Amino acid sequence: ALDKVAWVPMAERYLYLSLAVMSIGGAMLIQRLFMEKKIPSKAVIAAVTLLLSVNTFATFHRQFDFKDDNSIWRATLKTNPESSMVLCLYGRTVEGDEKRNAFEKAVSNPEPFKWRAKATLTLAGFEMAEGNYDEAVQLIEQALKMEKKYENYYRAATMIYSSSIKDGTFDLDRIDHALGYFQKAYRKRKTADAIYKIAVILKRLGRDTEAKIKFEELIKRHPESEYAEYSKKHLSLD
């Protein structure tokens, strides 16, 4: 109850539980001291008032000072300024340069933390948005070396495929690059959206036979999904 806790929403239950235990323990101690006539009745009133004040303040502080995620993580960051985890969580609540600075500081910290790959992909997104394709791909490769997960491959593929960079000679290479990441994502987890993206890109690249096979595979594997309906439309147009 008295320690510097991280003010995350789920931590609130531990805060209130510890406050309750502390209050009960304090009340039992006051009662014992009073029964043994070691403290006068006025001291009992003062001690109980103090306990009520502490609990009331803690409740109001949580409700009004920490009313949203930004205020929660801004306060937590003040007590944990070097924590990469806190920096990432704070970064999610802000935008622009403040967001980028938070993620850059998180990634620059040499100490390991479980979101390093995701934070690196976030930085790659900033580079991609600014048209720095090579820098973005370099960060993506770093992230994927750290953590070869479906979510990371899919995010990397989407980032590259949806890039707004316009360059005719470079466009096909970029799309082919995205295809490779979608395929790696699909090997990790055979989801309907991943195989649909693969099929659409293959069709865009003029690899119609391969695209048809993928559309048919999607319909077979995920017959009830919305992507199956989209795939049927593609096949009917061919």
Side-chain angles (χ1 to χ4, degrees):
L2 302 177
D3 198 9
K4 290 181 180 180
V5 298
W7 286 90
V8 296
M10 287 188 66
E12 143 184 312
R13 69 190 66 181
Y14 304 112
L15 172 67
Y16 287 151
L17 175 61
S18 60
L19 281 171
V21 172
M22 185 179 74
S23 299
I24 292 169
M28 290 175 68
L29 177 63
I30 292 166
Q31 181 190 35
R32 181 172 179 177
L33 292 173
F34 179 72
M35 295 299 290
E36 293 177 358
K37 297 182 179 180
K38 292 183 179 180
I39 56 172
S41 57
K42 288 184 179 181
V44 173
I45 294 170
V48 170
T49 301
L50 179 62
L51 281 174
L52 288 171
S53 299
V54 169
N55 281 277
T56 302
F57 173 78
T59 301
F60 275 92
H61 190 251
R62 178 67 183 89
Q63 287 298 112
F64 295 100
D65 284 1
F66 299 140
K67 58 184 178 296
D68 54 34
D69 286 346
N70 179 261
S71 57
I72 289 170
W73 291 112
R74 190 181 292 276
T76 306
L77 192 60
K78 288 179 180 178
T79 55
N80 303 271
E82 302 302 320
S83 170
S84 293
M85 297 280 285
V86 175
L87 282 162
C88 287
L89 289 163
Y90 170 71
R92 290 179 180 179
T93 69
V94 292
E95 297 297 332
D97 290 340
E98 195 172 2
K99 182 185 188 80
R100 183 169 189 163
N101 291 337
F103 278 97
E104 283 179 345
K105 188 174 181 181
V107 171
S108 66
N109 189 342
E111 294 183 7
F113 72 105
K114 67 178 183 178
W115 295 333
R116 184 177 293 280
K118 291 181 180 178
T120 304
L121 285 173
T122 299
L123 293 179
F126 282 113
E127 294 292 348
M128 193 70 77
E130 292 177 2
N132 302 324
Y133 181 79
D134 291 336
E135 290 81 354
V137 170
Q138 187 176 3
L139 287 168
I140 287 171
E141 290 292 341
Q142 288 177 17
L144 295 176
K145 284 180 182 177
M146 296 175 207
E147 206 172 51
K148 295 178 172 64
K149 292 175 62 176
Y150 168 86
E151 293 81 2
N152 295 341
Y153 279 122
Y154 190 91
R155 185 178 175 188
T158 303
M159 196 185 301
I160 292 173
Y161 187 61
S162 60
S163 168
S164 59
I165 299 169
K166 301 297 181 185
D167 185 335
T169 57
F170 151 79
D171 201 42
L172 286 178
D173 288 338
R174 175 174 63 81
I175 294 170
D176 193 54
H177 199 171
L179 173 62
Y181 285 139
F182 276 125
Q183 288 171 330
K184 288 180 180 179
Y186 188 62
R187 290 190 197 108
K188 294 287 182 181
R189 192 188 305 165
K190 289 179 169 45
T191 60
D193 52 349
I195 191 172
Y196 181 74
K197 293 286 175 55
I198 292 168
V200 168
I201 294 174
L202 286 170
K203 188 173 182 179
R204 182 174 175 180
L205 292 172
R207 295 157 65 176
D208 294 338
T209 302
E210 294 174 74
K212 182 181 179 182
I213 291 170
K214 288 298 179 185
F215 283 130
E216 290 173 346
E217 182 182 342
L218 193 158
I219 294 167
K220 183 178 179 180
R221 283 183 178 274
H222 308 279
E224 303 301 322
S225 72
E226 58 181 335
Y227 294 104
E229 295 301 317
Y230 301 153
S231 298
K232 289 174 184 176
K233 289 179 182 179
H234 277 285
L235 292 173
S236 65
L237 293 172
D238 292 337

